[in-house]
Amino acid sequence: MVLMKYIRANRTAPLFMLLWQSVFFAVGVGMVLIINAILNEDPDYACIGSLLALVATLFGTIAMGNMNGHVRFRLAVSMGETRLSYLLCTPIITAGVNLLGILTAWLMYLAEKALYTAIYPNFTNDIPMDDIFSGVVILCIVAGTVVLELVMSALMQRFGSRGFLSIWLLFCGLFMILPRMIDAYQSGSTSIFARIGGFILTAITTIPVKCWIAIGIILVLALIVFAVDTFRKAEVRV
């Protein structure tokens, strides 16, 4: 079965994800213990370690797509697998790895909560982690990481590492600049920078939520089409 070949080829992916989660979890737990020991008079804090472990599923997926997604594609095609099989099996592998990652993060959450309950009397979790591990949130995380991994691999395939880095820096830069534009507008500035921020803020506040959801769906579909088209047309030299 073709899927089993891909599973065997990606058998180290869960360990890769576990490594990311373990590092993030250790940092989060250490941060909570240090803050409670030094800064907090009332040693009560959220389960930051397990929250970071859940976030690590996203970072693990980014690293997988950035580092070797395009390589795995070329290797699969050069070894006789079809492009369609890659496009069908890779999302299944990504979804499976992320579900394992979410399960691991949930187990880490139970362990972290038990640790804090034992150390700190009357411990209460300030972040509703039980709501985060709900079915809808898990579905959104898995679907989002599947699309993200596919798009990241497609960007590397089409533009190479330099092109990918340029696009990624532009994407991150926008998220850093846009809030400053809005802050400049709200502070009363009349610069072009602030006017752009005012236009963005007006759009955010006036466009209905359903329209933003529709825009988001269209954007995701466009990214999927871009990724599929990239892999369909990609030249693979044997």
Side-chain angles (χ1 to χ4, degrees):
M1 188 177 180
V2 175
L3 180 58
M4 292 304 300
K5 294 181 180 179
Y6 282 90
I7 292 175
R8 287 193 295 269
N10 292 272
R11 59 186 178 275
T12 60
L15 296 177
F16 185 79
M17 184 69 73
L18 179 60
L19 176 62
W20 275 91
Q21 290 185 292
S22 299
V23 172
F24 276 59
F25 179 75
V27 169
V29 172
M31 183 175 65
V32 171
L33 295 176
I34 291 173
I35 289 175
N36 284 339
I38 299 176
L39 301 177
N40 277 358
E41 294 181 1
D42 181 15
D44 193 5
Y45 213 64
C47 293
I48 300 299
S50 49
L51 179 62
L52 291 180
L54 188 61
V55 173
T57 61
L58 175 62
F59 282 90
T61 300
I62 291 175
M64 287 172 60
N66 182 14
M67 291 180 181
N68 61 11
H70 59 299
V71 176
R72 287 184 280 115
F73 165 73
R74 291 199 293 265
L75 181 62
V77 174
S78 64
M79 295 184 67
E81 300 297 336
T82 65
R83 298 165 191 259
L84 179 61
S85 68
Y86 176 85
L87 291 171
L88 291 176
C89 293
T90 296
I92 295 175
I93 300 296
T94 303
V97 171
N98 277 274
L99 285 173
L100 287 174
I102 292 171
L103 175 61
T104 302
W106 179 69
L107 294 175
M108 288 179 173
Y109 165 61
L110 296 180
E112 186 177 16
K113 186 167 65 171
L115 173 64
Y116 296 157
T117 302
I119 297 177
Y120 308 123
N122 303 318
F123 170 78
T124 55
N125 189 12
D126 294 338
I127 299 178
M129 292 292 293
D130 293 318
D131 295 337
I132 295 177
F133 286 107
S134 64
V136 175
V137 176
I138 290 175
L139 179 62
C140 291
I141 292 174
V142 172
T145 50
V146 165
V147 174
L148 181 64
E149 197 274 340
L150 192 64
V151 172
M152 299 278 279
S153 299
L155 287 173
M156 284 292 292
Q157 175 65 39
R158 175 164 292 191
F159 301 110
S161 57
R162 291 184 180 178
F164 169 84
L165 182 60
S166 300
I167 295 173
W168 181 248
L169 290 176
L170 176 62
F171 179 77
C172 293
L174 286 175
F175 275 91
M176 295 175 63
I177 294 173
L178 291 181
R180 295 190 177 185
M181 288 181 173
I182 294 175
D183 288 341
Y185 170 76
Q186 292 176 330
S187 66
S189 174
T190 58
S191 65
I192 296 178
F193 193 76
R195 291 177 182 177
I196 296 174
F199 173 79
I200 294 172
L201 182 61
T202 302
I204 293 174
T205 55
T206 57
I207 296 177
V209 175
K210 291 183 178 179
C211 291
W212 282 116
I213 294 175
I215 292 172
I217 292 174
I218 292 172
L219 178 61
V220 170
L221 291 176
L223 290 173
I224 293 174
V225 170
F226 160 77
V228 171
D229 184 67
T230 295
F231 288 121
R232 185 177 64 85
K233 296 180 178 178
E235 179 181 359
V236 177
R237 296 179 181 179
V238 181

